Amino acid sequence: PFRETGHVLPAPVPAETAAEVERLAQAAVRALGIRHGITHTEIKFTPKGPRIIEVNGRLGGFIAEIVQRRTGYDMVAAALRLALGLPVTDPDPARLHGDRVTFQYLLVPPAGPLRPGPPALLDDLGDLPGVDLVDVSPPADWHTDWRRGTLGAIGTVYGSAADHTELRALIGQLAERLDQFWRDPDVPRTGAPRLIDTVDNSIDLSIL
């Protein structure tokens, strides 16, 4: 199944692809007659090029958080100022495309009726180079349901890497440790979802 497994900034796409995505998102917003406020547009890459999934008149989930971690820019404050008719400044493009890759990796369960192991199995995730914060809080009696998508995540790993190649290696290490966390002796393991494997398939774009 296609599920959201995290966010990467900047996205690992060529500059010309990023420009095409931006043009498509802007065209979609204009076609809807939106002239004021903030939008969250989701776009999927297809063999025929990028295609719109949906346009939302709101901030995207998790997007404001990763932008603020990356640039210091507060998208929530900007959205509120827009709603109040107050002027806003744009985020600094140089900080959006800096010298490191910022990521948020959602701890989404693999497909199947699995039950998470004890949280202690995840205690050392924060020791991996590049991991800044691990936010995990699965209830002891909680059973996973991969069909809940992002809502089924038991937490988030926050961090950064020197480049996308280093990020792939880091996500691989995280996924290997998560494979030990998800357990059910009667169900074959499918492996923890890997953020970087799906990031090439879709992209989120927020426009002020």
Side-chain angles (χ1 to χ4, degrees):
F2 179 83
R3 291 177 294 159
E4 188 174 18
T5 56
H7 309 87
V8 177
L9 191 63
V13 296
E16 59 271 20
T17 302
E20 184 179 6
V21 166
E22 290 178 8
R23 287 193 296 269
L24 177 60
Q26 291 168 356
V29 169
R30 293 192 188 99
L32 291 171
I34 300 172
R35 297 292 181 268
H36 183 81
I38 190 166
T39 61
H40 174 70
T41 303
E42 297 187 3
I43 294 173
K44 184 175 179 63
F45 294 128
T46 76
K48 296 182 179 180
R51 295 292 185 269
I52 295 288
I53 297 176
E54 60 183 7
V55 178
N56 303 278
R58 59 169 174 80
L59 280 169
F62 306 100
I63 302 303
E65 187 173 24
I66 193 171
V67 169
Q68 187 161 33
R69 288 179 50 234
R70 172 85 183 181
T71 69
Y73 186 81
D74 190 340
M75 294 188 72
V76 175
L80 291 173
R81 290 182 65 85
L82 283 170
L84 294 171
L86 300 174
V88 299
T89 58
D90 294 330
D92 183 357
R95 299 192 68 179
L96 282 172
H97 304 280
D99 58 353
R100 289 186 67 81
V101 177
T102 304
F103 74 89
Q104 295 172 172
Y105 180 47
L106 304 179
L107 303 182
V108 179
L114 305 182
R115 178 184 177 87
L121 290 175
L122 303 179
D123 285 348
D124 62 348
L125 291 182
D127 296 333
L128 293 173
V131 173
D132 299 327
L133 174 67
V134 179
D135 181 11
V136 181
S137 55
D141 60 348
W142 183 76
H143 287 71
T144 69
D145 187 350
W146 61 270
R147 293 167 297 184
R148 297 181 66 220
T150 305
L151 295 177
I154 63 167
T156 307
V157 177
Y158 303 88
S160 65
D163 51 36
H164 293 104
T165 299
E166 183 177 290
L167 176 58
R168 287 179 185 272
L170 174 56
I171 295 302
Q173 294 179 67
L174 288 170
E176 288 175 4
R177 300 192 184 202
L178 287 168
D179 283 345
Q180 303 302 314
F181 177 71
W182 304 110
R183 60 180 185 178
D184 189 325
D186 299 323
V187 179
R189 292 187 183 276
T190 57
R194 296 173 185 259
L195 165 68
I196 206 72
D197 290 342
T198 59
V199 75
D200 292 337
N201 295 326
S202 70
I203 193 165
D204 296 343
L205 200 68
S206 294
I207 299 176
L208 292 173

